[in-house]
Structures are given as structure tokens and as C-alpha cells.
Amino acid sequence: LQEPFEIVDDVFVPAGTYSGPEAQISFNTDLSKPLSFQTRLNVGEKFGGDRVRFTPTVAFRIGETFSSELSVVYTEFDLPVPGGDFSVALTRLRLSYSFSPKALLQAVGQYNDANETLSTNLRFSLLRTANSGLYVVYNEFDEQTPGALPAERQFVLKYNYLFDVFN
């Protein structure tokens, strides 16, 4: 890390080299079923201190057209800096609907409790081949509680075409 950065309000991780072990335990039910559950627990070192991350996820799908996923990433830090003992919860909802194998609408909503931000992403893709085609994307980032006026909005129109220069 070449420069210090603010990991949460008024808590700074100093510049330096960081390394350390991490262990992971995971469990999931049959992910091919309409309703599934998975969880992951990571325990280890981060930025010279300790980090524990717990991520439960519930997924629901209807055939190959609709899928949804609700997850919470709960992280506890104990860093050797002033204010370094803190926790953060990131809640995420993903929805996806396939009109056809090449036309897809996706929505993601995410709430961060540490800084009370809500972000949303809507994406429509019309694909020619894998990762090649038209993308229409709308992003919104709210710095306050849900219902507040958005702090940032983006509208992106992208066309991606892959070609082989050797053929």
C-alpha cells in the first residue's frame, strides 16, 4: 500500500506492506434447485490486524428466465490503529430476467450500513455472442438513507464487438 487510505470514517490504514494468513469455511445446498442457501466464513489477517467476514446468501430462481439473490456481507475488523475496531454490513439484492438467451435485464441494489449509502444498478444487454453486444446501464448512488435525493447518476450506452485479427 503506497498511500494511507480511509477505510471507514476517521479510520486510516497506514501505508505499508501487508500479508497474512486467511482461512475459509463454506457451505451450500444444491445450487441447481429453485431455492438454495450458501454461506461463507473467512477468518484471517488484513492490514496488520484481524478480519472476520461472514456471508450468508439465499437464492431463488424460476427455470432459466428469472433468478434472484439476497446476501449480507458482515465484516468485523480489529486493526492496530485508532478506531480500528469496527464492523460493516453490506446488503445486496440481485434480480435477473432473461427474455431470451441473448437479451437480459439485471438489477442490483446494495446498502452499506457503515456510511449509509444505497447504490442501484440497472443493466439491459442484447448480446451477439458471449460478452459482445449492446449494453444499456443506469447507475445511481445515494449518500444518505433510502429515499434521499441521489448524489450521483450515470447512464451508459456501450457496444462491444469482439473480432479475431488472425482469421
Side-chain angles (χ1 to χ4, degrees):
L1 188 61
Q2 294 180 350
E3 295 180 17
F5 75 96
E6 191 174 25
I7 191 166
V8 292
D9 287 344
D10 299 322
V11 179
F12 292 87
V13 174
T17 301
Y18 299 100
S19 64
E22 181 177 76
Q24 175 178 297
I25 298 171
S26 61
F27 167 81
N28 59 272
T29 60
D30 186 350
L31 301 177
S32 68
K33 297 290 184 185
L35 183 63
S36 63
F37 175 78
Q38 53 188 323
T39 187
R40 184 177 327 157
L41 175 67
N42 298 70
V43 179
E45 295 180 17
K46 191 73 171 179
F47 303 124
D50 297 321
R51 178 182 70 171
V52 176
R53 183 182 337 183
F54 177 62
T55 310
T57 303
V58 176
F60 176 72
R61 64 185 189 87
I62 299 173
E64 297 193 11
T65 57
F66 176 78
S67 66
S68 61
E69 184 177 284
L70 177 64
S71 65
V72 177
V73 180
Y74 178 77
T75 308
E76 286 188 4
F77 282 93
D78 187 8
L79 304 177
V81 296
D85 187 11
F86 62 92
S87 62
V88 177
L90 184 67
T91 305
R92 182 179 303 133
L93 175 64
R94 293 180 188 207
L95 303 171
S96 178
Y97 185 81
S98 296
F99 299 98
S100 71
K102 294 187 176 189
L104 177 69
L105 180 64
Q106 296 174 309
V108 177
Q110 184 170 280
Y111 180 73
N112 182 333
D113 78 331
N115 54 10
E116 296 184 329
T117 56
L118 176 67
S119 56
T120 55
N121 170 273
L122 297 172
R123 179 173 61 189
F124 175 75
S125 53
L126 190 56
L127 304 176
R128 293 186 65 241
T129 60
N131 298 324
S132 177
L134 177 68
Y135 298 87
V136 180
V137 181
Y138 176 76
N139 295 313
E140 189 170 289
F141 180 76
D142 301 321
E143 292 183 357
Q144 299 174 8
T145 56
L149 293 175
E152 182 179 327
R153 290 182 176 160
Q154 293 178 333
F155 180 77
V156 179
L157 182 62
K158 173 184 166 184
Y159 184 76
N160 190 29
Y161 181 78
L162 299 175
F163 60 92
D164 186 352
V165 295
F166 300 110
N167 282 336

